[in-house]
Amino acid sequence: MLQFINLDQITPDKRSTRERKKDFHEIYKEFINEKAQEQSSRCSQCGVPFCQVHCPLHNNIPDWLKLTAEGRLQEAYELSQSTNNMPEVCGRICPQDRLCEGNCVIEQTGHGTVTIGSIEKYITDTAWEKNWVKPVKVKKELNQSIGIIGAGPAGLACAEELRKFGYQVIVYDRYDRAGGLLIYGIPNFKLEKFVVERRTKLLKQGGIKFIQNFEVGKDKSLYELKKNHDAILIATGVYKSREIEIPGSDLKNIFPAMDFLTASNRKGLGDKVKLFDDGTLNTEGKDVVVIGGGDTAMDCVRTATRQKAKSVKCLYRRDKENMPGSAREVANAIEEGVEFIWLTSPKNFIGNKHVEEVQVNKMILGSTDSSGRRKPEIQKNSEYNIKADIVIKSLGFDPEDLPELFSAKELLVSRWGTIKIDLNTMQTNIAGIFAAGDIVRGASLVVWAIKDGRDAALQIQKYLREKGIQKDNIKAA
Ligand SMILES: Cc1cc2nc3c(=O)[nH]c(=O)nc-3n(C[C@H](O)[C@H](O)[C@H](O)COP(=O)(O)OP(=O)(O)OC[C@H]3O[C@@H](n4cnc5c(N)ncnc54)[C@H](O)[C@@H]3O)c2cc1C
Ligand code: SF4
């Protein structure tokens, strides 16, 4: 896989965040509209479209690039939306360097990729502007009903596809807003919230019902919900933060990433957030330490810089080549003044009631482990302390204990707690209950959640049709 950003070539901005008066939106300029045709015409229409192969949705990229190059934007939009329920979202936040663009033949020959994601975003944003994006129009209403647990991208994509068939669809979510991590996880500077909200509004206009502030397991058990529907999709995502078990973990001002990001997103949406408003989760003027090296950690450091933190440090126990997050995100963070301290692991949180310092160990990379990666090992006598007013832990997410939460002990899960499904039918071990998205894959990507949601819709339709045929057969008998 190609990594076309060389981090060594990026010079960190050494000024404190406070000193930098830049408007971050100006650093990453919007895709310039006039360039869409020019960029699209760079596509070589190669025989084997590797971009399409490596897009999880197998979007027909070469064809919509060709249509864009010819100025046939509405047709480009129709084609693009035929395989993707949220092209404008994917265009904004897919890690294209690992998917479509990283596999563009022009990129591989060293001439720089066609900017597929930006064009996808441009096409769909234009479609919204021109009123080409329409709610689902059902030709024939069917009386079968599907309950979807979780209004993230997997649940929403499945809901839209099922509604197109004419089914009655109800989406339940424990949050007050629909969108899942699109709304409360991913920061506004990567994905503006109006983009998500106009999508959910469109789904409502298409006849999909949403029941917010409804937590399955608390408000109803899985089986109680099942009684109201002919089929159920579980698309609840993964939300249990991984913990760091080191001394001092109970000190104040040490937070999981989602607490920090949710508070920031809620503020952006105009909500009152007590812990932000009283300064606890606001990093302005503070020395911030983020622990972790994935995309969520990058979202935390970049949110802190935007909140005008005094300093933002990111601790990661391996080196920069082995960071799990997107190279592009790391590059952006470096440009914005985040200090990366690679090969470093926290040993101790120090402070009197509140965290004041993080004692860290330096690490070296040892022998390769079973995953093929070199194992980080502690370098002897390498401890030193890093000042911290607030620590944000971003070590990844695990699934919650769904069989327990849903009062459905027999629901089969893997040893990691993800739901086990039959990969052909997407059905769990309980008849009529399907699952999709992060709760099946573990923490993944929006584009994969959309793909799973679409696949689940097809499988649910198949299941309901077969069920319908059986019913008819029984009647006939
Ligand atoms: C901070 C962060 C940044 C990310 N950035 C990117 C990115 O840039 N690009 C990218 O492609 N991916 C990114 N991801 C990953 C991406 O957001 C997820 O892979 C995707 O949202 C998974 O979709 P989903 O529908 O499976 O679950 P989610 O989006 O998590 O949605 C699950 C929904 O289920 C609801 N729910 C859970 N339990 C219950 C219950 N018991 N009852 C009712 N409702 C329930 C939740 O409230 C939530 O709304 C990021 C993830 C995080 C955490
Ligand atoms: S959905 Fe993602 S991977 Fe597929 S073409 Fe769009 S940006 Fe690329």
Side-chain angles (χ1 to χ4, degrees), residues 93 150 154 173-175 180-181 190 216 236 239 299 438 444 446:
I93 58 162
D173 200 290
R174 65 183 172 191
Y175 280 144
L181 288 172
K190 273 169 61 181
V216 178
T236 48
Y239 283 88
D299 287 345
D438 278 6
S444 179
V446 169

Side-chain angles (χ1 to χ4, degrees), residues 89-90 92-95 98-99 148-156 172-187 190-191 211-220 234-239 257-258 261 265 295-297 299-300 329 394 397 400 402 405-406 436-450 452:
V89 172
C90 293
R92 280 171 169 84
I93 58 162
C94 268
R98 287 188 258 154
L99 301 169
I148 294 184
I149 313 171
L156 296 183
Y172 302 87
D173 200 290
R174 65 183 172 191
Y175 280 144
D176 53 347
R177 292 183 175 92
L181 288 172
L182 302 181
I183 208 95
Y184 286 134
I186 302 172
K190 273 169 61 181
L191 176 62
I211 303 186
Q212 303 293 152
N213 297 308
F214 185 101
E215 182 164 352
V216 178
K218 212 168 100 192
D219 296 305
K220 260 193 180 143
I234 305 175
T236 48
V238 289
Y239 283 88
M258 271 306 284
L261 293 172
N265 277 319
D295 285 338
T296 301
D299 287 345
C300 291
E329 289 288 304
S394 179
F397 302 94
E400 291 154 280
L402 283 198
L405 278 177
F406 283 4
D438 278 6
I439 191 59
V440 174
R441 290 180 179 272
S444 179
L445 292 173
V446 169
V447 65
W448 281 113
I450 295 172
D452 291 348

